[in-house]
Amino acid sequence: MRMLRRPQSAASLIFPRSQTLHPSRFCPTRTVRSRHRRSAICSLPEAETYEPVEGKATNGKLPRPASYEFDTHQGTIDGSDEDEPEFDFLGESTSGNLQLVSPETGKGMISDTKFLGLDDVSSVRDVSISKLRQATKAVLDDMGIASSQYPEGLPERAIFCSRTLNLRAIKALGYDMDYTLVNYDVNAWEGRAYEYGLAYLRDAGCNVDGLTFDPDLVIRGLLIDRKLGNLVKADRFGYVKRAMHGTRMFSWSELRETYGRELVVLRDGGRWQFLNTLFSVSEACLFMQMVDRFDQGALASVPSANSYEALHDLVAKALFRTHVEGKLKAEIIKDPARFVERDPAMARTLIDQREAGKTLLLITNSDLVYSSAVMSYSYDSFLPEGKTWEDLFDLVIVQAQKPDFFTASRGLFEIVTVDGLMRPCYKAKKGGLYFGGSARMVEDALGFDGDEILYVG
């Protein structure tokens, strides 16, 4: 995820652009003042009305009233707080914060600080996990909240957080398509891409007889050491913890002798290749297998593979051609059921976000024909009658050329026909379908600042 434009703020947290997770700013939510306030907010009824106590119409619009109240099963909620500033310490608006002014006692309320059997917060270290689980379940049952089934349920549906993100301040959500909104069968997609890459290397004179795709050899998040022909796993500080040369794992002594205290520096793109997407799996698998062939002397007659770095360039080019020439995508368009895993929950999620008032964007590097085909297959059958995937988004941009899209200024073209006829334009408009452009153009089209737009991909 990333904000569309890097804010100039001391609170900004910048990650290397090559990482999958791209937040340029995380906006922590305000500290909740009490458990009651949190439970009241989470338990609001679907529809509530309020009568303004103060406030006069200005230019035909009614400003936020100085005070309004409504009742929930948790108690009386007030939307004002004279002591609360307009902005919090990170500059985020406090508009919409709710205060529990009159708690409802009885069933559903947590009124005792010892409700989990704790004398104080620090005593959590002395309580057994089983006791905490039983106490937590009892509290949730009393509040009428179903207990989580994780990890016995669906771990792939769980959300894992390492930072706090204030979605209250996010007005627009942008999404990538491949492996984000559209899920692929990794073995089918990457296995087919591997086969195309293998054919290219065979045409280039490489001995690839007997090689097959091994989906368990490589996972996302590892790094290729192009200089030494290794695949490594590094910790958060950049120290190499495990490695293999070709398809052979390093022993501890080999690992210490090769890397010792050396740090992985992602800025050195000439040496390190970060496997940050599932598209990297087939490339890394093929490269590690070809390293074995290189060490065996089976590539001595291939001038373009005279070093590990040159070999990686050759393999990367083979997989790049697979995507650019469109052979694989043509197969997917012809038989999407073979490659695409449909998920009805994705359509419901996007609909929920629209109904919550969020502006939705689709920004993909794929072309229009391919995007339309896989999005139609993945979403149209799960939408209300008469609706298509395009109705989910306020703005669609294809062939965006990310990551340069976020930093560079490129030409923008409006797509005016279903077969992709385009005309140049200088400004994007909400509701349009475009080719190229930049993040700055998206901000201008929506009237949002970069801090208010979150991109997931």
Side-chain angles (χ1 to χ4, degrees):
M1 300 183 292
R2 66 176 295 161
M3 302 300 182
L4 282 190
R5 182 165 55 84
R6 181 178 299 173
Q8 301 299 317
S9 167
S12 299
L13 182 61
I14 309 301
F15 283 79
R17 190 175 66 181
S18 57
Q19 293 190 13
T20 303
L21 185 64
H22 290 286
S24 60
R25 179 177 181 183
F26 288 92
C27 310
T29 52
R30 293 173 51 79
T31 302
V32 179
R33 299 177 182 175
S34 71
R35 291 188 302 276
H36 301 310
R37 177 179 171 188
R38 180 186 296 273
S39 61
I41 294 174
C42 295
S43 306
L44 291 179
E46 293 185 0
E48 294 286 358
T49 59
Y50 63 85
E51 295 294 333
V53 178
E54 296 181 16
K56 298 181 179 180
T58 304
N59 297 327
K61 298 181 179 180
L62 185 66
R64 174 184 174 182
S67 176
Y68 59 86
E69 294 183 353
F70 54 88
D71 294 326
T72 74
H73 72 277
Q74 297 292 347
T76 301
I77 303 297
D78 189 0
S80 65
D81 183 352
E82 295 180 356
D83 298 328
E84 186 172 50
E86 183 177 358
F87 298 96
D88 63 18
F89 72 101
L90 285 176
E92 301 298 337
S93 171
T94 61
S95 175
N97 284 2
L98 302 177
Q99 323 294 328
L100 185 66
V101 296
S102 179
E104 184 73 27
T105 60
K107 183 177 177 62
M109 292 303 300
I110 302 173
S111 56
D112 191 346
T113 57
K114 301 180 181 180
F115 68 98
L116 287 179
L118 305 178
D119 295 329
D120 51 54
V121 175
S122 62
S123 63
V124 69
R125 296 189 295 264
D126 303 321
V127 180
S128 67
I129 294 295
S130 60
K131 183 178 180 180
L132 281 176
R133 285 175 176 169
Q134 294 173 1
T136 301
K137 185 178 185 304
V139 171
L140 293 176
D141 291 343
D142 188 56
M143 296 177 66
I145 301 175
S147 300
S148 170
Q149 298 302 310
Y150 180 78
E152 293 81 8
L154 298 174
E156 65 271 18
R157 296 294 189 190
I159 298 176
F160 303 89
C161 301
S162 59
R163 290 288 188 272
T164 302
L165 175 65
N166 183 5
L167 283 175
R168 179 186 60 196
I170 301 299
K171 296 181 179 179
L173 292 166
Y175 289 98
D176 190 13
M177 186 183 73
D178 298 310
Y179 283 122
T180 302
L181 292 182
V182 175
N183 296 317
Y184 296 103
D185 182 324
V186 177
N187 291 345
W189 169 284
E190 296 303 317
R192 196 71 181 106
Y194 175 93
E195 292 173 5
Y196 277 115
L198 211 62
Y200 177 86
L201 293 180
R202 182 180 291 108
D203 293 339
C206 297
N207 179 7
V208 295
D209 294 341
L211 295 182
T212 58
F213 178 58
D214 182 359
D216 299 323
L217 181 63
V218 178
I219 63 171
R220 183 173 51 175
L222 303 179
L223 300 107
I224 292 177
D225 184 346
R226 288 164 34 87
K227 179 180 178 182
L228 301 179
N230 297 336
L231 186 68
V232 308
K233 177 181 179 180
D235 64 14
R236 59 181 297 190
F237 303 105
Y239 292 107
V240 177
K241 295 300 183 181
R242 299 187 69 184
M244 68 179 185
H245 180 77
T247 59
R248 181 185 62 82
M249 290 296 300
F250 272 26
S251 65
W252 170 247
S253 60
E254 288 178 304
L255 180 67
R256 182 174 55 185
E257 181 180 352
T258 304
Y259 291 105
R261 305 291 292 177
E262 182 178 3
L263 292 176
V264 172
V265 181
L266 290 178
R267 289 189 297 271
D268 185 3
R271 178 175 181 180
W272 301 103
Q273 178 74 33
F274 184 36
L275 308 182
N276 62 338
T277 72
L278 289 172
F279 291 118
S280 306
V281 172
S282 55
E283 176 184 325
C285 175
L286 185 53
F287 174 64
M288 302 317 294
Q289 292 173 339
M290 293 302 294
V291 167
D292 289 343
R293 295 292 172 94
F294 181 90
D295 292 342
Q296 295 166 7
L299 304 179
S301 60
V302 184
S304 56
N306 56 9
S307 67
Y308 294 126
E309 291 175 317
L311 177 60
H312 181 262
D313 290 338
L314 185 63
V315 172
K317 183 178 180 180
L319 272 297
F320 179 75
R321 286 175 63 93
T322 297
H323 298 296
V324 170
E325 292 179 354
K327 294 179 180 179
L328 177 56
K329 289 187 174 181
E331 288 190 33
I332 296 173
I333 292 174
K334 185 177 180 180
D335 185 14
R338 176 185 172 189
F339 297 94
V340 179
E341 297 178 340
R342 296 198 295 182
D343 184 356
M346 294 293 292
R348 293 196 298 268
T349 298
L350 295 179
I351 292 173
D352 287 346
Q353 290 174 354
R354 286 188 64 86
E355 292 180 347
K358 301 299 183 184
T359 297
L360 299 187
L361 318 171
L362 174 60
I363 305 174
T364 176
N365 285 351
S366 294
D367 61 82
L368 176 63
V369 173
Y370 179 76
S371 299
S372 296
V374 296
M375 287 295 291
S376 295
Y377 176 77
S378 300
Y379 286 88
D380 287 0
S381 61
F382 304 115
L383 298 177
E385 186 176 355
K387 298 294 184 180
T388 69
W389 67 271
E390 294 179 82
D391 296 313
L392 294 170
F393 303 98
D394 298 277
L395 193 67
V396 176
I397 297 178
V398 299
Q399 292 183 258
Q401 293 190 15
K402 298 169 295 178
D404 293 341
F405 176 86
F406 298 103
T407 56
S409 179
R410 299 175 53 246
L412 181 70
F413 296 85
E414 182 182 9
I415 301 175
V416 294
T417 65
V418 293
D419 58 353
L421 182 65
M422 300 184 295
R423 63 185 176 194
C425 61
Y426 301 98
K427 184 178 181 181
K429 295 181 180 179
K430 195 173 181 179
L433 174 61
Y434 298 97
F435 171 103
S438 66
R440 171 66 72 178
M441 292 179 177
V442 172
E443 294 176 21
D444 293 340
L446 301 179
F448 298 156
D449 185 75
D451 295 353
E452 300 171 315
I453 307 175
L454 180 68
Y455 184 76
V456 183

